Amino acid sequence: MSHPTENTFLKDLARTVERDRGDRAALRRYWSETTRHQSYPILGKIHALKDKPRTILAALYAEHPFYRKGMSVGKAALQLGKPQNGEHPYDRHFRRLLACDEIEELAQQLHRLVKRLDRKSIGLDYDSLRINLYSWCKTSDPAKREDVKVRWAADFWMAPI
């Protein structure tokens, strides 16, 4: 397991997830509305409560704690398969992710992606994702959200074959 290196929050998160399997399981409970409250003590311990980007990042990392520098959302999604008949097998799912307007909707699509990455042992650059989530959440400017989507799309559709 590679560790995030550029952010104190991510370092603390990685230590928490590695040190205690119960904490990791509690963070994964965030994804169900009926068990979400069980993640709150751990989110509080790592200072992620009331900070949507940190909360989402913690829950995603607990689901798949495989950090890989440079592996953006688009690049990671591209690794999920090879194009067949001119279309990538993850293409429709990726388009659904890019169509998200609300952070909760985006979080659910990222969760689906991360679960697939976990099954294929494909890492994700959580430092980059952290920056993208903050760009998404801390602005009401749709153009800044669109910038995030365009970066992910470029990494998915403009990657060398």
Side-chain angles (χ1 to χ4, degrees):
M1 177 184 329
S2 181
H3 293 285
T5 57
E6 298 175 17
N7 183 268
T8 304
F9 170 72
L10 287 170
K11 287 179 187 178
D12 292 344
L13 174 60
R15 278 193 294 274
T16 299
V17 165
E18 267 182 29
R19 186 177 54 241
D20 191 328
R21 289 175 50 188
D23 285 355
R24 180 177 174 200
L27 286 172
R28 287 194 312 264
R29 289 187 184 103
Y30 174 81
W31 296 111
S32 168
E33 287 184 27
T34 58
T35 61
R36 182 169 290 171
H37 64 280
Q38 294 176 20
S39 69
Y40 293 163
I42 311 309
L43 290 169
K45 183 168 69 172
I46 60 173
H47 304 285
L49 279 175
K50 298 172 86 176
D51 185 323
K52 196 53 122 173
R54 281 185 173 194
T55 296
I56 293 167
L57 205 60
L60 291 171
Y61 190 82
E63 192 72 50
H64 178 53
F66 182 9
Y67 175 85
R68 184 166 170 206
K69 184 158 183 63
M71 188 62 74
S72 70
V73 167
K75 288 177 184 176
L78 186 63
Q79 298 297 309
L80 289 172
K82 299 282 183 217
Q84 300 164 359
N85 300 325
E87 186 175 307
H88 191 279
Y90 196 72
D91 189 89
R92 280 181 272 159
H93 297 288
F94 194 69
R95 288 174 192 263
R96 193 171 306 133
L97 186 148
L98 295 177
C100 294
D101 290 323
E102 302 299 323
I103 190 63
E104 286 300 330
E105 183 184 14
L106 177 67
Q108 291 301 321
Q109 293 302 317
L110 288 171
H111 181 228
R112 288 182 69 191
L113 171 65
V114 163
K115 286 174 72 170
R116 287 184 178 193
L117 296 175
D118 185 48
R119 285 195 294 270
K120 298 246 185 181
S121 297
I122 299 167
L124 185 63
D125 188 333
Y126 286 96
D127 285 316
S128 171
L129 181 57
R130 175 186 58 81
I131 292 165
N132 290 322
L133 288 173
Y134 271 101
S135 292
W136 190 285
C137 288
K138 301 299 181 184
T139 183
S140 58
D141 182 1
K144 292 195 183 206
R145 291 180 181 171
E146 191 64 24
D147 288 345
V148 170
K149 293 178 183 183
V150 168
R151 282 194 301 274
W152 291 347
D155 286 344
F156 186 77
W157 282 298
M158 292 177 63
I161 297 174

